[in-house]
Amino acid sequence: MKKSTLVIGVIGADCHAVGNKVLDRVFTACDFRVINLGVMVSQDEYIDAAIETGADAIVVSSIYGHGDIDCLGLRERCIERGVGEILLYVGGNLVVGKHDFAEVESTFKTMGFDRVFSPSHDLADVCQLIAKDINNKLTNFRSQSEEVV
């Protein structure tokens, strides 16, 4: 069975590399194929890599608190580029200042992200949730394809 492919990286002008390396190792250990773009990644770099690799999901990290600005319009850009249905995830310290996480999560879900992870979210759980989402999407795609035939 083919491994699910994740495109990961740290968005915008954020150069925090340590968490990105941790995510790479954890996702790899959880049997994902990881395309790690590193730090200071633009929206189009994520999308280019997703298209080139046939990725199942894009996982955006932001630590410096400007994720709300850097991620704005990413889903729309995916749609424009022909990968509008790709799973989008975001996590980290996404906004400057202290905010209720439910408010932060709502903001990013409104932007089109499928899941939003707090900085303290258990990474084993993150892997399980992403694997479940990818499996559900593939199962739904297969059943829709069978209905068309």
Side-chain angles (χ1 to χ4, degrees), residues 13 16 27 32 39 41 48 85 91 96 112 117 122 133 136 144:
H16 289 88
F27 289 144
F32 289 103
V39 299
V41 179
D48 289 345
E85 296 301 313
V96 175
F117 299 109
D122 178 72
D133 290 347
N136 286 345
Q144 290 172 358

Side-chain angles (χ1 to χ4, degrees), residues 47-69:
I47 297 167
D48 289 345
I51 292 168
E52 288 168 18
T53 64
D56 298 288
I58 294 173
V59 182
V60 176
S61 295
S62 182
I63 305 301
Y64 75 149
H66 298 289
D68 52 342
I69 296 164

Side-chain angles (χ1 to χ4, degrees), residues 9-10 15 41 71-72 77 86 93-94 102:
V10 184
C15 61
V41 179
C71 293
L72 198 58
R77 190 76 184 124
I86 194 163
N93 182 36
L94 300 171

Side-chain angles (χ1 to χ4, degrees), residues 2 6 37 43 48 80 82 89 95 97 101 105 107 110 118 124 128:
K2 168 179 125 29
L6 306 179
L37 303 178
Q43 289 188 7
D48 289 345
E80 288 171 12
Y89 300 98
V95 294
F101 183 72
E105 182 179 37
T107 297
T110 300
S118 71
Q128 289 175 348

Side-chain angles (χ1 to χ4, degrees), residues 6-112:
L6 306 179
V7 172
I8 73 169
V10 184
I11 197 164
D14 196 335
C15 61
H16 289 88
V18 174
N20 183 55
K21 290 177 183 171
V22 170
L23 289 176
D24 190 331
R25 288 193 179 117
V26 170
F27 289 144
T28 300
C30 288
D31 212 29
F32 289 103
R33 176 178 170 231
V34 178
I35 310 303
N36 189 343
L37 303 178
V39 299
M40 300 175 70
V41 179
S42 72
Q43 289 188 7
D44 279 322
E45 287 172 311
Y46 283 107
I47 297 167
D48 289 345
I51 292 168
E52 288 168 18
T53 64
D56 298 288
I58 294 173
V59 182
V60 176
S61 295
S62 182
I63 305 301
Y64 75 149
H66 298 289
D68 52 342
I69 296 164
D70 294 334
C71 293
L72 198 58
L74 179 57
R75 175 62 75 191
E76 291 78 8
R77 190 76 184 124
C78 288
I79 293 167
E80 288 171 12
R81 300 278 311 277
V83 289
E85 296 301 313
I86 194 163
L87 292 167
L88 285 182
Y89 300 98
V90 66
N93 182 36
L94 300 171
V95 294
V96 175
K98 296 229 182 264
H99 296 271
D100 179 51
F101 183 72
E103 176 188 323
V104 174
E105 182 179 37
S106 175
T107 297
F108 281 87
K109 286 203 167 192
T110 300
M111 284 189 221

